[in-house]
Amino acid sequence: MIAKYEFDSGQDGFDLLVLAAVHGNETAGTNACYKLIEKLNRGMIKLMKGKLTLVPICNPEAYQKDVRSIDENLNRVMVMHDNPQTYEQKLANEICPLIQSHRVTLDLHSTHCVGDVPFAFCDYPDVYNQKLIDALPVDFVLEGWPDIYSKQDAIQDFSTEHCAHMYGHTATTLECGYHKAPEAVLLAYQAIINTLVTFEMIDMPHPSVHPKKHIQMDSYILKVKEGQLCRDYKHLDFVSQGEEIARYNDGDSLYAPYDGFILLPNLQAPVNTEWYYLGRAKK
């Protein structure tokens, strides 16, 4: 159901998996993958060590319809399903074995709003994860994603990072900026190149360590009824304690509990989905 492109150097090294369009309308990573595939096929870039697998479109039906998902969020069901009931669960049964068979996974995503700041997630820190994140061309790293779900819902969030972690492997999610921005494609492509260089899979100059600001995610807000955000928030906008962030149509309001950052705001969030997240800079 999903198309994968495999390249084997014939030499010992890392096994790297690159995923894109886990959400069908997040196409920056898809375009970056196809750009790299073309260069590898034409011999413009040569794999020197290890094995590389690229999956440019992880959610084909959603990609064709330019929507986030068909039945449910694929990045919440990334676990093997004995009896898959939805389209995304069937996809997860294809993707999870790929994650299991690769030591490192780079999962490329993009965000909802024009001007959104690129960033990386670091859900399960380890030596390889940190090595990869250091090389990514972004200024911000979000930490604590699994904790906010277990704290608020007492459930596990079955993401690609969680899947890799359960197999004893490493995965990092990179949000490349706004879905349709050309800059997001360039960033996604550079991120793949930096990853290949960092793990000595291609022979190019090593990227310099990119300084990062780490944000500790604290909570997420579910949109429980019809309403709207009080302004056109962008990811990583600063919010002050007591600031009115959202207002429901019935007059109820939601306020910032502390000075911090609004994260991943979805101005068009449907009812019963994540509306926005909150976090604070780590000291």
Side-chain angles (χ1 to χ4, degrees), residues 240-259:
S240 301
Q241 183 176 4
E243 177 179 337
E244 185 183 20
I245 295 177
R247 185 179 303 144
Y248 288 112
N249 291 350
D250 62 8
D252 289 344
S253 292
L254 300 173
Y255 300 90
Y258 49 73
D259 291 347

mmCIF file of all heavy atoms in Angstrom, residues 240-259:
data_model
loop_
_atom_site.group_PDB
_atom_site.id
_atom_site.type_symbol
_atom_site.label_atom_id
_atom_site.label_comp_id
_atom_site.label_asym_id
_atom_site.label_seq_id
_atom_site.Cartn_x
_atom_site.Cartn_y
_atom_site.Cartn_z
ATOM 1 N N SER A 240 1.140 35.527 28.164
ATOM 2 C CA SER A 240 1.327 35.985 29.543
ATOM 3 C C SER A 240 0.288 35.350 30.459
ATOM 4 O O SER A 240 -0.841 35.069 30.045
ATOM 5 C CB SER A 240 1.183 37.516 29.614
ATOM 6 O OG SER A 240 2.136 38.140 28.784
ATOM 7 N N GLN A 241 0.674 35.134 31.706
ATOM 8 C CA GLN A 241 -0.254 34.574 32.683
ATOM 9 C C GLN A 241 -1.533 35.414 32.740
ATOM 10 O O GLN A 241 -1.488 36.639 32.811
ATOM 11 C CB GLN A 241 0.391 34.541 34.070
ATOM 12 C CG GLN A 241 -0.491 33.910 35.134
ATOM 13 C CD GLN A 241 0.219 33.802 36.477
ATOM 14 O OE1 GLN A 241 1.355 34.272 36.634
ATOM 15 N NE2 GLN A 241 -0.428 33.177 37.440
ATOM 16 N N GLY A 242 -2.681 34.735 32.655
ATOM 17 C CA GLY A 242 -3.969 35.412 32.698
ATOM 18 C C GLY A 242 -4.489 35.869 31.357
ATOM 19 O O GLY A 242 -5.639 36.321 31.251
ATOM 20 N N GLU A 243 -3.670 35.748 30.309
ATOM 21 C CA GLU A 243 -4.107 36.156 28.965
ATOM 22 C C GLU A 243 -5.236 35.237 28.474
ATOM 23 O O GLU A 243 -5.144 34.010 28.582
ATOM 24 C CB GLU A 243 -2.929 36.080 28.006
ATOM 25 C CG GLU A 243 -3.256 36.397 26.565
ATOM 26 C CD GLU A 243 -2.029 36.325 25.664
ATOM 27 O OE1 GLU A 243 -0.895 36.460 26.184
ATOM 28 O OE2 GLU A 243 -2.204 36.115 24.449
ATOM 29 N N GLU A 244 -6.288 35.836 27.938
ATOM 30 C CA GLU A 244 -7.368 35.042 27.356
ATOM 31 C C GLU A 244 -6.892 34.472 26.024
ATOM 32 O O GLU A 244 -6.551 35.212 25.105
ATOM 33 C CB GLU A 244 -8.626 35.893 27.152
ATOM 34 C CG GLU A 244 -9.818 35.079 26.647
ATOM 35 C CD GLU A 244 -11.044 35.937 26.385
ATOM 36 O OE1 GLU A 244 -10.882 37.171 26.216
ATOM 37 O OE2 GLU A 244 -12.154 35.368 26.317
ATOM 38 N N ILE A 245 -6.854 33.159 25.935
ATOM 39 C CA ILE A 245 -6.348 32.495 24.736
ATOM 40 C C ILE A 245 -7.484 32.065 23.820
ATOM 41 O O ILE A 245 -7.388 32.202 22.592
ATOM 42 C CB ILE A 245 -5.487 31.276 25.120
ATOM 43 C CG1 ILE A 245 -4.219 31.728 25.870
ATOM 44 C CG2 ILE A 245 -5.111 30.470 23.880
ATOM 45 C CD1 ILE A 245 -3.353 30.586 26.339
ATOM 46 N N ALA A 246 -8.553 31.542 24.384
ATOM 47 C CA ALA A 246 -9.646 31.003 23.577
ATOM 48 C C ALA A 246 -10.981 31.328 24.226
ATOM 49 O O ALA A 246 -11.078 31.476 25.452
ATOM 50 C CB ALA A 246 -9.492 29.494 23.413
ATOM 51 N N ARG A 247 -12.005 31.430 23.377
ATOM 52 C CA ARG A 247 -13.346 31.720 23.876
ATOM 53 C C ARG A 247 -14.351 30.826 23.152
ATOM 54 O O ARG A 247 -14.370 30.759 21.921
ATOM 55 C CB ARG A 247 -13.698 33.190 23.637
ATOM 56 C CG ARG A 247 -15.041 33.620 24.239
ATOM 57 C CD ARG A 247 -15.292 35.093 23.974
ATOM 58 N NE ARG A 247 -14.204 35.919 24.494
ATOM 59 C CZ ARG A 247 -13.755 37.019 23.892
ATOM 60 N NH1 ARG A 247 -14.292 37.412 22.744
ATOM 61 N NH2 ARG A 247 -12.768 37.713 24.425
ATOM 62 N N TYR A 248 -15.155 30.115 23.931
ATOM 63 C CA TYR A 248 -16.204 29.281 23.357
ATOM 64 C C TYR A 248 -17.402 30.144 22.975
ATOM 65 O O TYR A 248 -17.597 31.248 23.511
ATOM 66 C CB TYR A 248 -16.629 28.200 24.350
ATOM 67 C CG TYR A 248 -15.604 27.101 24.540
ATOM 68 C CD1 TYR A 248 -14.925 26.943 25.758
ATOM 69 C CD2 TYR A 248 -15.314 26.207 23.506
ATOM 70 C CE1 TYR A 248 -13.998 25.933 25.934
ATOM 71 C CE2 TYR A 248 -14.390 25.191 23.681
ATOM 72 C CZ TYR A 248 -13.731 25.056 24.885
ATOM 73 O OH TYR A 248 -12.811 24.051 25.049
ATOM 74 N N ASN A 249 -18.207 29.627 22.076
ATOM 75 C CA ASN A 249 -19.366 30.386 21.602
ATOM 76 C C ASN A 249 -20.384 30.666 22.704
ATOM 77 O O ASN A 249 -21.172 31.607 22.601
ATOM 78 C CB ASN A 249 -20.046 29.651 20.447
ATOM 79 C CG ASN A 249 -19.198 29.627 19.189
ATOM 80 O OD1 ASN A 249 -18.175 30.309 19.108
ATOM 81 N ND2 ASN A 249 -19.602 28.844 18.202
ATOM 82 N N ASP A 250 -20.366 29.841 23.753
ATOM 83 C CA ASP A 250 -21.308 30.066 24.861
ATOM 84 C C ASP A 250 -20.777 31.063 25.882
ATOM 85 O O ASP A 250 -21.420 31.313 26.907
ATOM 86 C CB ASP A 250 -21.663 28.743 25.545
ATOM 87 C CG ASP A 250 -20.458 28.047 26.187
ATOM 88 O OD1 ASP A 250 -19.358 28.655 26.242
ATOM 89 O OD2 ASP A 250 -20.598 26.900 26.631
ATOM 90 N N GLY A 251 -19.587 31.643 25.621
ATOM 91 C CA GLY A 251 -19.034 32.665 26.498
ATOM 92 C C GLY A 251 -17.939 32.191 27.420
ATOM 93 O O GLY A 251 -17.226 33.011 28.010
ATOM 94 N N ASP A 252 -17.771 30.882 27.607
ATOM 95 C CA ASP A 252 -16.680 30.375 28.438
ATOM 96 C C ASP A 252 -15.341 30.701 27.790
ATOM 97 O O ASP A 252 -15.211 30.668 26.560
ATOM 98 C CB ASP A 252 -16.798 28.856 28.613
ATOM 99 C CG ASP A 252 -17.952 28.458 29.512
ATOM 100 O OD1 ASP A 252 -18.464 29.329 30.239
ATOM 101 O OD2 ASP A 252 -18.343 27.271 29.477
ATOM 102 N N SER A 253 -14.346 31.025 28.635
ATOM 103 C CA SER A 253 -13.022 31.387 28.125
ATOM 104 C C SER A 253 -11.941 30.520 28.740
ATOM 105 O O SER A 253 -12.111 29.955 29.843
ATOM 106 C CB SER A 253 -12.725 32.864 28.425
ATOM 107 O OG SER A 253 -13.574 33.717 27.680
ATOM 108 N N LEU A 254 -10.820 30.425 28.053
ATOM 109 C CA LEU A 254 -9.637 29.718 28.529
ATOM 110 C C LEU A 254 -8.491 30.716 28.614
ATOM 111 O O LEU A 254 -8.295 31.524 27.707
ATOM 112 C CB LEU A 254 -9.270 28.579 27.585
ATOM 113 C CG LEU A 254 -10.339 27.496 27.379
ATOM 114 C CD1 LEU A 254 -9.907 26.517 26.294
ATOM 115 C CD2 LEU A 254 -10.601 26.756 28.683
ATOM 116 N N TYR A 255 -7.711 30.642 29.720
ATOM 117 C CA TYR A 255 -6.670 31.625 29.990
ATOM 118 C C TYR A 255 -5.316 30.939 30.164
ATOM 119 O O TYR A 255 -5.233 29.758 30.553
ATOM 120 C CB TYR A 255 -7.005 32.410 31.263
ATOM 121 C CG TYR A 255 -8.312 33.165 31.177
ATOM 122 C CD1 TYR A 255 -9.509 32.567 31.582
ATOM 123 C CD2 TYR A 255 -8.361 34.470 30.691
ATOM 124 C CE1 TYR A 255 -10.721 33.251 31.503
ATOM 125 C CE2 TYR A 255 -9.558 35.163 30.606
ATOM 126 C CZ TYR A 255 -10.733 34.542 31.010
ATOM 127 O OH TYR A 255 -11.925 35.225 30.926
ATOM 128 N N ALA A 256 -4.250 31.681 29.899
ATOM 129 C CA ALA A 256 -2.902 31.162 30.113
ATOM 130 C C ALA A 256 -2.640 31.031 31.610
ATOM 131 O O ALA A 256 -2.796 32.009 32.353
ATOM 132 C CB ALA A 256 -1.871 32.090 29.480
ATOM 133 N N PRO A 257 -2.229 29.855 32.076
ATOM 134 C CA PRO A 257 -2.005 29.661 33.512
ATOM 135 C C PRO A 257 -0.676 30.223 34.008
ATOM 136 O O PRO A 257 -0.463 30.322 35.217
ATOM 137 C CB PRO A 257 -2.047 28.138 33.662
ATOM 138 C CG PRO A 257 -1.581 27.628 32.337
ATOM 139 C CD PRO A 257 -2.071 28.610 31.312
ATOM 140 N N TYR A 258 0.225 30.579 33.079
ATOM 141 C CA TYR A 258 1.546 31.088 33.450
ATOM 142 C C TYR A 258 2.156 31.779 32.234
ATOM 143 O O TYR A 258 1.645 31.681 31.104
ATOM 144 C CB TYR A 258 2.459 29.953 33.924
ATOM 145 C CG TYR A 258 2.483 28.759 33.002
ATOM 146 C CD1 TYR A 258 3.138 28.790 31.764
ATOM 147 C CD2 TYR A 258 1.847 27.570 33.359
ATOM 148 C CE1 TYR A 258 3.148 27.706 30.916
ATOM 149 C CE2 TYR A 258 1.848 26.473 32.513
ATOM 150 C CZ TYR A 258 2.505 26.545 31.297
ATOM 151 O OH TYR A 258 2.511 25.467 30.457
ATOM 152 N N ASP A 259 3.267 32.481 32.450
ATOM 153 C CA ASP A 259 4.040 33.027 31.327
ATOM 154 C C ASP A 259 4.711 31.868 30.600
ATOM 155 O O ASP A 259 5.411 31.050 31.218
ATOM 156 C CB ASP A 259 5.110 33.989 31.833
ATOM 157 C CG ASP A 259 4.536 35.282 32.393
ATOM 158 O OD1 ASP A 259 3.338 35.540 32.161
ATOM 159 O OD2 ASP A 259 5.285 36.016 33.053
#
